[in-house]
Amino acid sequence: MRAVVYDRYGPADVLRIENVPKPSPTARQVLVKVAATSVNLSDWESLRGSPLYARIGGLRFPPHRILGSDIAGWVDAVGPAVTRFQPGDEVYGDNLMLMGGFAEYAIAHESVLARKPTALTFAQASAIPQAGVIARQGTDGAGAGQRVLINGAGGGSGSFAIQLAKRLGAQVTGVDNAGKLDFMRSVGADNVIDYRSEDFTRSGPYDLILDLVAHRSVFAYRRALAPGGRYRCVGGSVPALLRVLTIGSVAGWLTHRRLGVLAVKQGPTHFEPVADLCVSGDLGIHIDRTFTLDEVPEALAQVGEGRALGKVVVSVN
Ligand SMILES: NC(=O)c1ccc[n+]([C@@H]2O[C@H](COP(=O)([O-])OP(=O)(O)OC[C@H]3O[C@@H](n4cnc5c(N)ncnc54)[C@H](OP(=O)(O)O)[C@@H]3O)[C@@H](O)[C@H]2O)c1
């Protein structure tokens, strides 16, 4: 089968197309014929080996040769202990543990997969699992009239998060680069900030901050929070995440604010409610561009270099 592989951390040009053996599912695994795989910032981070948490499982060399975790496609074969799926089923899910979506076939544990809603295309379904879950858990607790700020709001998770916070009645501020300000407004942001010309930690205060790209000091985040407010980060530089985990929890507690790192819970029970909102039309899926398998390096760079408005998808079969 054709697959986009890499053997060392580096820029997009370390990726190449290769013919590799089609994998076989073991006991509770499913072989998926991939129709579409969406790109997440986590793919770019695993390609670069940076931030350092992207090297978990492979400090010097990548633990997986094939990237791509948000897959959608058809069940091609199942392992002997699989009970939930059979060949021909249309499925989707976040295959973060095994990856492998930038290939014609991918192996996934059955527990990470769900049946694809018929109302969604494979491309749309592939856009939901990782970004949708981050957005849903990241905006959990937002409420009517609350001031919510989303840092990095113009990308995949951010475009869902803006919409979810708006649905909950919040007043939403989106922060990203200047090229994404109109896009953030178009998905519902009430206010937008270009992070290159304005420091959001000197705006506000906010009741909830969801940070997709943390890199500032704990004291800057604390300054931007209203009394009783919450700051949650899901990604960013390792020093920033460590500072939030350590100094952040103490500084927050002392000043009646909460600062923490959100460890996102994965799996169908978490992403299917987001897909339901997409099917009912309450949540829009914004796919900026669709690439082919040969164009995976460009697709990853589009996300990693901050040019994607919403999601980027690779159409495989
Ligand atoms: N905690 C968990 O359990 C968990 C699970 C899965 C994934 N994650 C992490 O979640 C993160 C979010 O991923 P995603 O797919 O939503 O990312 P994305 O689609 O790439 O969106 C991130 C956005 O942030 C912008 N950005 C970069 N630097 C910024 C800055 N200094 N200030 C404001 N905006 C900035 C980017 O544009 P520019 O680059 O142009 O600025 C981009 O628009 C990733 O780091 C991923 O590893 C966490």
Side-chain angles (χ1 to χ4, degrees):
M1 67 168 188
R2 296 178 80 235
V4 179
V5 303
Y6 77 130
D7 296 306
R8 63 183 173 87
Y9 297 115
D13 57 16
V14 303
L15 295 163
R16 62 187 185 281
I17 288 266
E18 232 180 54
N19 274 312
V20 302
K22 188 169 151 182
S24 304
T26 59
R28 290 198 60 208
Q29 291 182 338
V30 173
L31 178 67
V32 178
K33 180 176 179 183
V34 181
T37 300
S38 82
V39 179
N40 289 292
L41 191 58
S42 53
D43 292 307
W44 176 255
E45 293 168 344
S46 299
L47 170 69
R48 309 281 313 189
S50 171
L52 207 56
Y53 59 70
R55 295 189 184 221
I56 291 172
L59 196 57
R60 291 186 57 215
F61 298 102
H64 306 290
R65 290 191 80 210
I66 307 170
L67 293 169
S69 61
D70 265 348
I71 57 173
W74 305 267
V75 172
D76 191 70
V78 296
V82 168
T83 54
R84 294 173 50 229
F85 301 107
Q86 57 185 28
D89 287 348
E90 296 185 347
V91 294
Y92 71 121
D94 183 359
N95 198 23
L96 197 56
M97 295 308 286
L98 299 179
M99 310 289 271
F102 298 137
E104 289 173 316
Y105 294 86
I107 287 284
H109 195 276
E110 72 166 331
S111 62
V112 307
L113 297 172
R115 249 166 247 274
K116 179 184 82 63
T118 48
L120 299 180
T121 64
F122 286 107
Q124 289 173 322
S126 77
I128 295 170
Q130 191 171 121
V133 165
I134 292 174
R136 182 163 176 254
Q137 291 170 27
T139 55
D140 185 38
Q146 286 197 341
R147 297 152 294 182
V148 173
L149 179 134
I150 301 160
N151 189 36
S157 311
S159 55
F160 283 127
I162 291 174
Q163 297 179 72
L164 288 170
K166 284 302 295 176
R167 268 181 60 78
L168 296 167
Q171 183 77 8
V172 179
T173 300
V175 185
D176 214 304
N177 68 52
K180 300 189 181 184
L181 303 185
D182 286 342
F183 172 70
M184 292 190 291
R185 281 193 202 96
S186 76
V187 295
D190 301 288
N191 309 301
V192 292
I193 293 176
D194 168 8
Y195 72 82
R196 292 193 180 121
S197 62
E198 195 182 334
D199 177 359
F200 81 80
T201 68
R202 295 190 182 278
S203 66
Y206 301 96
D207 302 297
L208 173 65
I209 297 176
L210 169 60
D211 197 348
L212 301 163
V213 283
H215 70 284
R216 301 290 304 277
S217 81
V218 158
F219 301 103
Y221 296 136
R222 197 210 57 85
R223 174 172 65 217
L225 283 177
R230 264 172 307 171
Y231 168 89
R232 289 181 186 135
C233 55
V234 294
S237 75
V238 170
L241 297 178
L242 288 176
R243 286 194 300 264
V244 171
L245 277 173
T246 53
I247 313 166
S249 48
V250 179
W253 180 73
L254 288 173
T255 57
H256 306 292
R257 290 152 175 94
R258 277 176 285 169
L259 289 88
V261 176
L262 175 66
V264 177
K265 297 183 203 77
Q266 313 276 349
T269 50
H270 301 289
F271 65 74
E272 283 187 299
V274 182
D276 290 343
L277 290 173
C278 296
V279 169
S280 64
D282 291 311
L283 197 60
I285 303 168
H286 296 276
I287 297 176
D288 187 8
R289 199 172 148 193
T290 303
F291 292 83
T292 64
L293 197 57
D294 296 278
E295 296 169 329
V296 163
E298 285 167 72
L300 283 170
Q302 170 127 352
V303 171
E305 291 166 4
R307 283 177 277 120
L309 302 175
K311 292 290 298 187
V312 161
V313 171
V314 173
S315 182
V316 182
N317 280 295

